[in-house]
Amino acid sequence: MSSSSAGTRRVPKRRAAVWTALAFTPVLVPAHAQNAPVATLPSISVSGDAPPLTLLEPTGTGTLLGLTPFETPASIEIISNEQLRERGAATVTDAITQAAGISAMRHPGNGGSSLSSRGFTDSNSVAQLYDGVRQYGGVGQTFIYDPWAVDRIEVLRGPASVLYGEGAIGGVVNVIPKKPTRGPIENEIQATVGTHDTQRLGLGSGGALDDKWSYRLDVSGNHSDTGISLGDSRDAAVTAALRLDVSPELNFTLTQAYAWQEPTRYFGTPLMDGTMDYSLRKQNYNVADSKIIYRDSRTELKAEWSPNPATQVRSRVYYIGSDRDYRDAENYAWVPGGMIERSAYTDIRHDQEQAGTITDATFDGHLLGLANKVAVGFELNRASLKHTNNSPYSGTSLVDPYDVDHGRFINVAGTTPRYRNTATQYALFAEDRLMLTSAWSVLGGLRYDHIDLKRRDLVADQTAFRTTFTNVGWRVGTVYDVLPTLSVYGQYAQAADPIGSLLLLSPTNKDFELSEGKQVEVGVKQTFWNGKGQWTLAAYHIRKNNLVTRDPNDPALRIQVGEQSSRGLEATLGVELSPAWRLDLNAVALRARYDDFNESVNGVSVSRNGNVPTDVPERVANAWISWKFAPQWTASAGLRYVGKRYADAANRLEMAGYTTTNLALQWEPRRDLSLALRAFNVFDRQYAETAYYNQTQWLLGEGRRVELSANYRF
């Protein structure tokens, strides 16, 4: 952003966020994790007040330097706190998919959190962060699920390895929680009841205790029945943070969070002769004593230090723990006679932990007489996963598809600890922004990652393998302000993805290298109507190589020569049409293809070149409109369209596209009290959201749901 235009843009003041090297170790907390502004709790207003111009808000997700999306040569979208409240998403994943081009492919096997972006899928290619920290390993993120404690969501589309390391070719989603604030203490309670025995309760409190101490506390609990057999789900979460402002230049924050979930024990509905029978949508073929439990915890100490106005240092140390238990019959298939055969009786336990530190320093100065801002830092972490299972997951049973006798779990092999994967990683990173003129900037970034991975065979009590992965991710981009309110940008980036989840990597895959990706992106961003609207347009092309594919000459062998690519257009628009009307739109059109990929079919290598990668919709769109039709009343409606996807690489199993409609009516009888009536999927659209690993078993989307919420602040 040019210095001459800064005064016309109403850019929010960046809060003094600085870190210190902790006494016991020189710890780092990156700017990309800490620079996002955290406002005090807004009024409950449901009156359709325009959300802030997010193009002009500093963001920590797209850059290390705390720039605004307007200043950054990348596609960045912010879902603000106002939008989260107005739209009332029941889960964080529901909220994330309101961003342009993001679709969900959640099922129990991936923790219910996997996403698709720009033609690439799953946690290996679309990384999720919590307040700038990533849980490594690609096992699936189970901690981030309840929007109650979330302040905002930032989405960076496209390769992000230069910021977050391997595993982010499709993009990064950063969920930023509510944090301690310096204002007066404010308390909040929200209660919700709804169809399917839905009950939700959220409690929040935060503010300054005195001139040095402030806090934030959020507690939530949810229960629902999805309307299918064995459909109960329940969860609870507590997040607490305490901040000490030692001086205006130095502060420390200690955060502790716990989350517990028992999600719906649903692994999908089987296809019959390649088609879905939606009359089975309320049937669940799992066993009666099935179990899915996620237990997550996070502990973090961070420091922010600004020794002078031109220097910021950020540092954090953290610990993440995740325990996941599964006991389910996971695979279902139709057999002659009209019965369903259940197999893959699976008993799995994940004991995952990660400890690490991140630190960076940002310096604002001059280079060759030109304004220059540079950030440097490092990251160090150690992650491990102990895998307990009952492989080879034997056992079968038959059930009537319409009158299910759920039966009991069958454990043939017995459940024992099998292996432990441990990854030790360090990274060095830097980013620089040089202002060539008051309207033209150049930005470059570089990151080196080194990962040592060890697998311990717990049955044989010996090391199964040790291997090392390294990667250098980099990007270079430029932004030019055509007008003070209009910028164009271009970017080239290189990134890397693992060929599978690192903490689940098997000896078979240990010798493969990281897959590599390259992206070219150009775009336009503008604010208009004196700050009442903003729009963006981005065009990109990504190519990823070193995919694992079948050897055409020997289908029994897997070789790393495959390639896939995507190119597309993304557009967003947010505008306050009048004091009473607001409209938000986004749409994505892409072309995603396997360029060089073979599968083994009955011992024969079959080319899938030219096919669409699995679980990738090539058309995605969202629309949200709100109307303040009376001083205390707002009506709103949201539409979401997801195009067709394929469950298999052969593109023979097509999951049809779908459109869902959400409606809301909100009333604010007092400034401290609001009531909201919301209906989700009001036309009860029947659709498949994703396919399970066996491809012929689809997880059907949730049907119509109605909720009534009351929110009170005091």
Side-chain angles (χ1 to χ4, degrees), residues 359-389:
T359 305
D360 70 27
T362 304
F363 307 94
D364 205 343
H366 289 80
L367 178 66
L368 302 177
L370 302 175
N372 188 67
K373 194 170 187 178
V374 62
V376 294
F378 71 86
E379 178 173 0
L380 175 65
N381 69 72
R382 183 181 185 276
S384 69
L385 175 73
K386 177 183 176 183
H387 200 286
T388 300
N389 63 53

Side-chain angles (χ1 to χ4, degrees), residues 19 66 84 244 265 394 596 620:
W19 307 69
L84 288 171
L244 170 63
R265 296 162 288 167
S394 305
D596 184 2
V620 180

Side-chain angles (χ1 to χ4, degrees), residues 287-342:
V287 292
D289 56 344
S290 55
K291 176 178 67 173
I292 305 176
I293 301 176
Y294 307 142
R295 294 174 294 271
D296 295 271
S297 66
R298 287 178 177 246
T299 303
E300 177 185 276
L301 176 63
K302 64 182 180 182
E304 305 172 332
W305 179 45
S306 182
N308 57 64
T311 305
Q312 295 180 331
V313 183
R314 310 162 181 82
S315 184
R316 64 171 54 170
V317 288
Y318 66 86
Y319 172 82
I320 302 172
S322 292
D323 295 328
R324 309 178 190 96
D325 295 346
Y326 301 87
R327 185 179 64 225
D328 308 274
E330 297 188 0
N331 288 354
Y332 321 128
W334 287 85
V335 295
M339 300 291 280
I340 289 179
E341 182 181 77
R342 301 186 299 196

Side-chain angles (χ1 to χ4, degrees), residues 32 148 167 212 214 290 326 332 345 376 388 400 482 607 637 642 653:
H32 62 273
W148 174 251
K212 291 186 178 295
S214 56
S290 55
Y326 301 87
Y332 321 128
Y345 278 75
V376 294
T388 300
D400 187 312
V482 180
S607 172
V642 178
L653 300 175

